[in-house]
Amino acid sequence: MNKISKSYYVYEVEIFTELEKEYALNLRRNYPAHWKEMYKCVTRSESIYNLVLIQIGEEVVYKPIYKVKTRGSKDEKLLQELLSI
């Protein structure tokens, strides 16, 4: 609970996170091989999905925002060098 002035408030995202955390733990217990994919299909939003994974202690897998396209062999070689670092 968060106190603002003389009143106590709870953020909506905190409520959804707590409710869905129990569901995610049940999925992890019952389907250990692919529970993340199952949970991602039914979650309300990606932000709640990420918050639940952080609270459970799981690693969050981030998707890249941009896809790199090369124009030639020189660019391809540079990209491979950067990816190997």
Side-chain angles (χ1 to χ4, degrees), residues 23-83:
Y23 181 66
L25 288 171
N26 283 335
L27 283 176
R28 185 169 74 172
R29 185 174 31 257
N30 295 331
Y31 307 99
H34 51 282
W35 69 272
K36 284 184 184 180
E37 293 84 17
M38 293 173 70
Y39 176 60
K40 192 167 190 165
C41 291
V42 297
T43 190
R44 296 174 188 266
S45 68
E46 190 169 342
S47 59
I48 292 176
Y49 171 78
N50 290 333
L51 283 172
V52 169
L53 287 185
I54 290 169
Q55 286 186 357
I56 290 175
E58 293 290 323
E59 183 176 330
V60 179
V61 178
Y62 296 102
K63 296 186 298 185
I65 297 173
Y66 300 104
K67 184 171 182 158
V68 177
K69 292 185 179 180
T70 58
R71 292 187 176 184
S73 61
K74 185 177 177 182
D75 291 341
E76 183 68 34
K77 183 179 175 183
L78 176 63
L79 178 63
Q80 293 304 321
E81 288 176 11
L82 291 173
L83 291 175

Side-chain angles (χ1 to χ4, degrees), residues 16-28:
F16 289 139
T17 303
E18 287 299 318
L19 291 173
E20 291 192 15
K21 184 167 56 171
E22 292 302 318
Y23 181 66
L25 288 171
N26 283 335
L27 283 176
R28 185 169 74 172

